[in-house]
Amino acid sequence: MDINEELVKQIAENSRLVLTEDEVKEFKKEFKETLEHFSNIQNADIQEEPAFHPIKLKNHTNNDNIEPENCLTQEEALSNVKQTYEGYIKGPKVIK
Amino acid sequence: MSAKNHINLVNNGNIDIEEFTKETINKLKTLNEEYTFMSVITEELAKQQAKQIKNKINQGKKLPLAGLFITVKDCLCIKDIETKSSSKILEGYKPKFDATIIKRLKEAGAIILGKTIQDEFGFGSFSVNTGINIPIPKNPLDKNASAGGSSGGCGVATALLEKEGIPHISIAESTGGSIEAPASFCGVIGLCPTYGKVSRYGLISYANSLDKIGVMGNNTKDVMQIFEKISGKDEKDSTSKQEFGFHMEQNDLEDMERVKGFKIGVLKEGFSEKIKPEIKKTVKSKIEEIESFGIKTEEISLPFLEEYGLSAYYVIAMSEASTNLSCLTGLRYGKQDIKPNEYFSDYFKRIRSESFGKEAKRRIMLGTFTRMAGYRDAYYIKAAKARAKIIKEYKKLFEKYDIIISPTMPFLPQKFEEIEKLKPIDHYMADLLTVGPNLAGMPHLSYPVFKEKNPSGIMITADHDNEDKIFMLSNLMDKLKGGRENV
């Protein structure tokens, strides 16, 4: 499995992470070892359809009812937010 | 004292539960200083609950879990109590709601003592991957050894509070072996039920299709009693099963004729060269005891699982983890530190990089990789196909056998100095025997077996929804040769 530093940086970028150069080197080595092991799965002879869950699930829809006792108030929903503005969550800037 | 006896004494007013709770909290604080297994001790909540229970009992009410002490893995939400899955990125997060199982336990009269330390988001088998600045739980039998993971704090609490004579149950969670490993390392019982049997509402997910909430305790009846209370359909979790919760009558649990008629498959791969000789020897002795009771055993094999199980498990678990953790961006809860004029994408990357521990970063990145264009079919889809084949392999065996048994862990509790030398792939190999039932969503229980004070576990696995068979065999083992004494 060819894991190079560029690929590790690309994976980090897709994961919304920034790595130090030392981390890039360390993860490159570890990912190579780990993925070499996991890659054995590509040789498996499997005819089955993929199982995305271990049991068969039925589609589930809730009744379209408003249940105030099961809803958070605006105050509760914002209680863990450090920066708010007039009942909104204040986030970082989105235009450079 | 068993949970049942304690609950009766509390309900009859023979124990002053307010006083007992104060004493228990003090003991827990002292133990925690030595073994560092609690993330939060919920002193005020516990005292408030004890007061309410006492009032209700004084009014003549009886509660099904009156005054039973509970500890809870940190990944489960408790209203107004810091809940952070042992991660810095959720530091300070206080949910405004209870997880469904917490709501059920509170209503039944259980008293919550606090949250237990775990591997960050469940990413580990030794509880050494706790988040930044979060201590590592110590094994109650050897402070220089791991308590197992990821529900390590639950295992420590279960073993220590038993020694102190405090009636207690821990609520843990398993994705690929996180209940079973600490049960084996700490010498207690750990039940991981059928996928969907217990609501996951209010659980901070590691991998949705694998996460199961379970129970750790010191005897089968206590574990079963709590499982009855927390299982069952919940409208808030679309994957919780349609059937009613688990229930088993005492007579059925004690039906020794039925237990004698069980056909047990002994997993050949559980005794391969990958498993340490001391584990094989101890577990074999326990199997001989079971056979001496008249139960028939036969050697069986799950060759496809042996070859591909670990890879399939880790690819699925990491893929799901990488998507689950993408919501943690330091905006709505937990760690928040927005600098003026910082661009949103730069902020998200910075806060995540500063706050996730190394193993969390590793798993997020590997999971992102296995879902990336060009790699998805080769890894994630192939792993999901492998899971289908593994389920089929299990189902075929369960047409013939009631139970499959094997050791739980491939080795005894590992010393911290030994763990430090391990590479990530060596850590993943620790789950060799536990990934199978977790991938297939099969119920399983690790039963403790000791040899010269060294704890190991025998893992009992049954078909979906066959927890009754597991409890019957576990209950029999409670009776054999003094239960968990040396074999």
Side-chain angles (χ1 to χ4, degrees):
Chain A
M1 179 87 218
D2 185 27
I3 301 280
N4 55 43
E5 291 186 10
E6 282 314 301
L7 181 58
V8 173
K9 285 178 188 170
Q10 181 59 51
I11 299 168
E13 175 65 26
N14 291 355
S15 309
R16 294 286 181 272
L17 291 168
V18 189
L19 304 180
T20 63
E21 283 305 313
D22 284 348
E23 281 179 317
V24 171
K25 285 189 176 67
E26 191 184 350
F27 282 130
K28 184 188 131 187
K29 188 170 173 272
E30 289 171 0
F31 287 1
K32 194 172 162 46
E33 280 171 356
T34 306
L35 289 168
E36 259 170 21
H37 185 93
F38 292 172
S39 295
N40 74 339
I41 207 162
Q42 291 165 22
N43 308 323
D45 175 23
I46 314 169
Q47 306 306 320
E48 281 73 13
E49 287 296 308
F52 296 109
H53 279 91
I55 54 168
K56 286 203 170 63
L57 296 172
K58 288 178 190 163
N59 278 340
H60 175 89
T61 52
N62 279 342
N63 293 329
D64 197 10
N65 295 332
I66 297 170
E67 295 167 353
E69 70 277 11
N70 286 328
C71 298
L72 296 182
T73 62
Q74 188 185 40
E75 194 187 339
E76 285 171 334
L78 294 175
S79 64
N80 280 287
V81 183
K82 277 194 183 155
Q83 293 191 51
T84 59
Y85 177 75
E86 293 184 355
Y88 290 93
I89 298 167
K90 199 173 162 186
K93 76 180 207 178
V94 292
I95 300 168
K96 264 189 174 169
Chain B
M1 188 193 307
S2 74
K4 193 180 172 184
N5 287 346
H6 171 76
I7 293 163
N8 283 339
L9 290 171
V10 174
N11 270 328
N12 294 330
N14 295 329
I15 287 178
D16 181 341
I17 194 60
E18 272 192 285
E19 207 45 49
F20 195 17
T21 302
K22 280 179 201 164
E23 285 168 20
T24 298
I25 292 280
N26 288 338
K27 278 184 190 165
L28 187 61
K29 282 180 183 171
T30 309
L31 291 168
N32 193 41
E33 279 172 20
E34 200 175 341
Y35 294 93
T36 57
F37 57 103
M38 299 298 293
S39 167
V40 184
I41 295 176
T42 51
E43 184 169 1
E44 288 313 308
L45 173 66
K47 285 180 179 171
Q48 192 189 351
Q49 283 186 287
K51 192 175 180 184
Q52 285 167 356
I53 291 163
K54 195 173 173 179
N55 287 341
K56 283 183 183 168
I57 287 162
N58 286 343
Q59 289 162 19
K61 290 182 184 158
K62 305 260 186 221
L63 297 163
L65 298 179
L68 180 64
F69 296 108
I70 304 279
T71 54
V72 181
K73 189 175 180 180
D74 196 21
C75 56
L76 281 153
C77 288
I78 303 181
K79 192 179 177 186
D80 295 329
I81 302 296
E82 188 184 41
T83 296
K84 58 178 191 281
S85 256
S86 290
S87 178
K88 189 180 177 184
I89 204 162
L90 281 171
E91 207 171 71
Y93 169 51
K94 291 186 177 175
K96 301 311 291 179
F97 64 100
D98 280 325
T100 295
I101 62 145
I102 298 297
K103 190 168 175 270
R104 289 179 181 173
L105 289 168
K106 280 182 176 176
E107 284 168 1
I111 294 175
I112 294 163
L113 295 175
K115 316 286 300 286
T116 61
I117 294 176
Q118 56 174 92
D119 285 296
E120 186 174 16
F121 295 106
F123 298 155
S125 309
F126 300 110
S127 288
V128 294
N129 297 329
T130 54
I132 297 166
N133 297 333
I134 296 171
I136 293 168
K138 293 174 189 145
N139 193 307
L141 299 150
D142 176 359
K143 277 190 265 183
N144 296 315
S146 160
S150 64
S151 311
C154 295
V156 180
T158 306
L160 288 178
L161 294 180
E162 159 88 349
K163 264 193 202 168
E164 295 291 327
I166 297 166
H168 159 265
I169 285 287
S170 202
I171 303 295
E173 178 278 337
S174 172
T175 306
S178 287
I179 296 176
E180 309 86 294
S184 179
F185 280 12
C186 295
V188 300
I189 294 177
L191 167 75
C192 177
T194 306
Y195 179 83
K197 203 95 176 175
V198 177
S199 167
R200 289 181 295 112
Y201 178 75
L203 168 72
I204 298 170
S205 287
Y206 164 0
N208 314 38
S209 80
L210 293 158
D211 295 342
K212 292 137 329 254
I213 295 168
V215 183
M216 292 174 84
N218 286 290
N219 69 71
T220 307
K221 284 175 188 162
D222 287 0
V223 170
M224 194 176 96
Q225 191 176 4
I226 298 299
F227 178 55
E228 284 189 340
K229 279 283 162 278
I230 63 171
S231 62
K233 176 73 185 158
D234 174 21
E235 286 299 322
K236 290 176 178 169
D237 174 4
S238 62
T239 58
S240 71
K241 288 170 83 78
Q242 300 293 333
E243 299 94 61
F244 291 107
F246 177 85
H247 178 69
M248 192 172 192
E249 294 296 336
Q250 182 78 14
N251 289 346
D252 294 330
L253 180 71
E254 303 283 357
D255 185 350
M256 291 303 154
E257 285 311 304
R258 190 174 161 217
V259 182
K260 273 185 186 172
F262 278 175
K263 204 161 180 195
I264 292 180
V266 178
L267 189 64
K268 184 180 156 192
E269 291 80 14
F271 299 89
S272 73
E273 77 288 350
K274 293 176 188 166
I275 315 300
K276 291 283 182 198
E278 57 271 27
I279 295 283
K280 289 191 266 193
K281 201 176 164 197
T282 309
V283 173
K284 270 184 184 162
S285 305
K286 200 73 190 172
I287 292 171
E288 281 164 18
E289 266 187 59
I290 294 169
E291 286 167 339
S292 70
F293 189 74
I295 299 174
K296 288 193 182 91
T297 67
E298 275 174 25
E299 188 180 83
I300 54 132
S301 178
L302 287 161
F304 187 84
L305 172 67
E306 166 78 356
E307 187 76 22
Y308 302 110
L310 208 65
S311 301
Y313 166 75
Y314 271 101
V315 169
I316 292 171
M318 289 178 180
S319 299
E320 293 187 16
S322 67
T323 62
N324 280 324
L325 270 58
S326 63
C327 68
L328 300 173
T329 54
L331 201 57
R332 289 167 294 168
Y333 35 70
K335 180 97 178 133
Q336 293 159 67
D337 176 29
I338 303 171
K339 307 269 189 237
N341 291 322
E342 193 173 15
Y343 185 54
F344 79 99
S345 186
D346 295 336
Y347 170 63
F348 292 163
K349 281 189 258 184
R350 180 174 65 80
I351 200 88
R352 285 163 64 83
S353 304
E354 286 173 2
S355 310
F356 284 130
K358 188 160 267 182
E359 185 60 25
K361 287 181 187 172
R362 195 178 281 126
R363 294 199 190 197
I364 290 170
M365 286 197 287
L366 281 168
T368 301
F369 171 77
T370 54
R371 292 184 299 110
M372 271 164 60
Y375 300 104
R376 184 176 179 268
D377 286 356
Y379 287 98
Y380 178 61
I381 298 297
K382 201 70 192 267
K385 287 181 178 177
R387 164 147 76 178
K389 191 158 177 170
I390 287 164
I391 294 170
K392 209 168 163 182
E393 208 176 41
Y394 267 112
K395 285 281 182 191
K396 201 173 171 197
L397 279 179
F398 284 126
E399 284 172 11
K400 195 172 169 195
Y401 299 94
D402 296 284
I403 295 277
I404 294 173
I405 52 179
S406 72
T408 304
M409 296 298 284
F411 34 59
L412 294 170
Q414 301 285 283
K415 303 265 189 198
F416 293 122
E417 60 187 39
E418 291 162 353
I419 295 170
E420 274 174 20
K421 292 178 203 155
L422 299 177
K423 291 185 284 188
I425 190 67
D426 301 323
H427 280 249
Y428 306 152
M429 297 295 274
D431 300 339
L432 193 67
L433 297 167
T434 54
V435 292
N438 279 285
L439 266 174
M442 303 287 177
H444 52 290
L445 178 146
S446 180
Y447 192 90
V449 196
F450 287 83
K451 181 85 176 171
E452 289 155 9
K453 293 189 178 169
N454 287 317
S456 55
I458 180 167
M459 191 167 73
I460 311 168
T461 305
D463 198 0
H464 291 142
D465 297 319
N466 280 202
E467 278 88 354
D468 57 339
K469 290 181 182 173
I470 291 177
F471 286 131
M472 288 169 83
L473 189 61
S474 178
N475 183 50
L476 171 72
M477 290 204 273
D478 280 342
K479 297 172 194 297
L480 288 174
K481 262 196 180 174
R484 301 184 291 114
E485 296 305 309
N486 283 356
V487 294

